[in-house]
Amino acid sequence: MTFSAQVKTELCKDGLGKKCCALAEAYGVLLYANCFTAAQVRVMTANDAFAARLPKLFRRAFGLDFDELPPPEKEGKRSFCITDPGKLAAIFAAIGYDASRAVSHHVNLPVVENDCDRVAFLRGAFLAGGSVTDPQRSYHLELSTSHASVCREGRALLLDMGFTPGDGQRGSQYLTYFKRSGVIEDLLTTMGAPVCAMEVMQATVEKHMANAMNRITNCDLANSDKLVAANADQMEAIRAIEAGPGIASLPAALQETALLRIANPACSLAELAQLADPPVTKSCVSHRMRKLTELAKRLAEPPEEE
């Protein structure tokens, strides 16, 4: 089951509620459905839970049944259709449309006046025309409608509820979308899918932890590379001294540090400091290494001409 299907299934677990909420939810379904015209209403869905909820929703909202229902054994995408003029007139009257004219595809604000009605409207819109990606892959929730004014007014409704969506167009469809995980969590919770909202939250936490671990790993690798390069430079300097005046010519402290580096080429300065006899500080070993490096540089310089 896709994550979108999970969300729609969870949304359908809530009861139909008050008559006004059922009307608002059915209104959302109509405006984001496959077809809503003066001649017919057609809602198509592949979601089992929504397919089971839809006839009950229209009966509760409008007091009528669909003229065309999918066979009970039907799987996959199913179609629910109303073409009866009397039923269409009842639907238009319930949502405040003039049945004598072509359907004006706008959000009729009196139908979504109450907070509970707005939530129900969004639930219906998502059930009919919504989708959301798997949060393990990316964050994207959208509502799709073929009516530009519905998209515009639906966006205004969301803004009024405290959500700030983006908008766009894909072919003949007008989109309202969200791409921030926190906003998607809040919207799913508001619509009635808190369990799925928690999945989004969990995916976000897991991604943040993975990113943090990657940063730590990358930092460790970078530090390791620096350590290897620094140790190689120190070894080169000591070998140059060894080939020149010799390590025995060095003061005792520098001799010890040089011999410790030759014997422990992979150790850090802090580790060499602990191997000294007696142990010294890391800064002390670092100071000695600088002296060895400076001496090697002087040995590499050409002799001054007389």
Side-chain angles (χ1 to χ4, degrees):
M1 183 185 291
T2 66
F3 188 65
S4 278
Q6 285 181 242
V7 172
K8 291 182 181 183
T9 298
E10 185 178 359
L11 291 177
C12 289
K13 289 180 179 178
D14 284 345
L16 298 177
K18 298 181 292 184
K19 178 71 177 288
C20 66
C21 294
L23 178 62
E25 182 177 330
Y27 190 30
V29 170
L30 289 169
L31 292 181
Y32 288 81
N34 299 83
C35 181
F36 178 31
T37 69
Q40 73 166 336
V41 165
R42 184 175 295 276
V43 183
M44 300 187 71
T45 182
N47 186 269
D48 295 341
F50 183 38
R53 182 182 183 86
L54 197 52
K56 300 173 187 176
L57 176 64
F58 271 57
R59 198 172 299 120
R60 173 71 169 154
F62 306 117
L64 52 82
D65 296 316
F66 284 94
D67 297 327
E68 178 188 317
L69 291 169
E73 69 279 3
K74 174 73 173 177
E75 296 182 357
K77 189 164 285 189
R78 281 150 284 192
S79 176
F80 298 79
C81 188
I82 296 174
T83 55
D84 179 86
K87 292 181 180 180
L88 292 170
I91 291 173
F92 297 160
I95 60 178
Y97 286 167
D98 187 345
S100 65
R101 302 178 182 178
V103 175
S104 177
H105 295 295
H106 290 272
V107 178
N108 190 9
L109 293 179
V111 181
V112 292
E113 185 175 4
N114 300 319
D115 290 342
C116 61
D117 299 333
R118 295 182 178 190
V119 170
F121 176 84
L122 287 178
R123 181 167 57 246
F126 185 86
L127 288 170
S131 64
V132 57
T133 58
D134 184 340
Q136 295 291 344
R137 294 190 289 110
S138 63
Y139 304 117
H140 182 88
L141 182 150
E142 71 177 38
L143 300 172
S144 175
T145 177
S146 58
H147 315 300
S149 57
V150 170
C151 178
R152 183 177 62 253
E153 292 159 7
R155 184 175 186 277
L157 187 67
L158 284 161
L159 287 169
D160 194 50
M161 295 174 69
F163 299 100
T164 307
D167 59 84
Q169 189 171 357
R170 185 188 301 123
S172 62
Q173 295 297 110
Y174 297 89
L175 309 177
T176 304
Y177 62 85
F178 300 88
K179 287 186 173 294
R180 293 177 57 190
S181 60
V183 178
I184 292 174
E185 291 166 21
D186 292 342
L187 187 60
L188 292 179
T189 301
T190 298
M191 290 192 299
V195 175
C196 289
M198 285 298 296
E199 288 194 35
V200 177
M201 185 182 299
Q202 182 177 350
T204 304
V205 171
E206 290 174 355
K207 287 179 182 179
H208 285 174
M209 290 180 63
N211 290 338
M213 290 302 297
N214 286 338
R215 285 194 294 271
I216 292 171
T217 301
N218 291 337
C219 182
D220 288 344
L221 289 173
N223 289 337
S224 178
D225 290 343
K226 290 178 182 178
L227 175 63
V228 170
N231 289 359
D233 290 343
Q234 293 161 13
M235 285 293 294
E236 185 179 351
I238 293 168
R239 293 302 183 195
I241 295 170
E242 190 176 32
I247 293 176
S249 66
L250 298 171
L254 295 185
Q255 276 191 50
E256 180 188 35
T257 300
L259 292 172
L260 282 173
R261 171 52 76 209
I262 292 173
N264 304 277
C267 284
S268 66
L269 294 181
E271 290 168 333
L272 290 183
Q274 293 302 309
L275 292 173
D277 184 22
V280 295
T281 63
K282 176 184 174 182
S283 62
C284 178
V285 174
S286 178
H287 177 69
R288 292 176 182 178
M289 284 296 182
R290 277 198 302 274
K291 284 192 172 184
L292 290 170
T293 303
E294 289 169 1
L295 176 58
K297 286 181 179 178
R298 288 198 298 271
L299 291 173
E301 292 175 354
E304 295 183 4
E305 296 181 2
E306 295 184 359

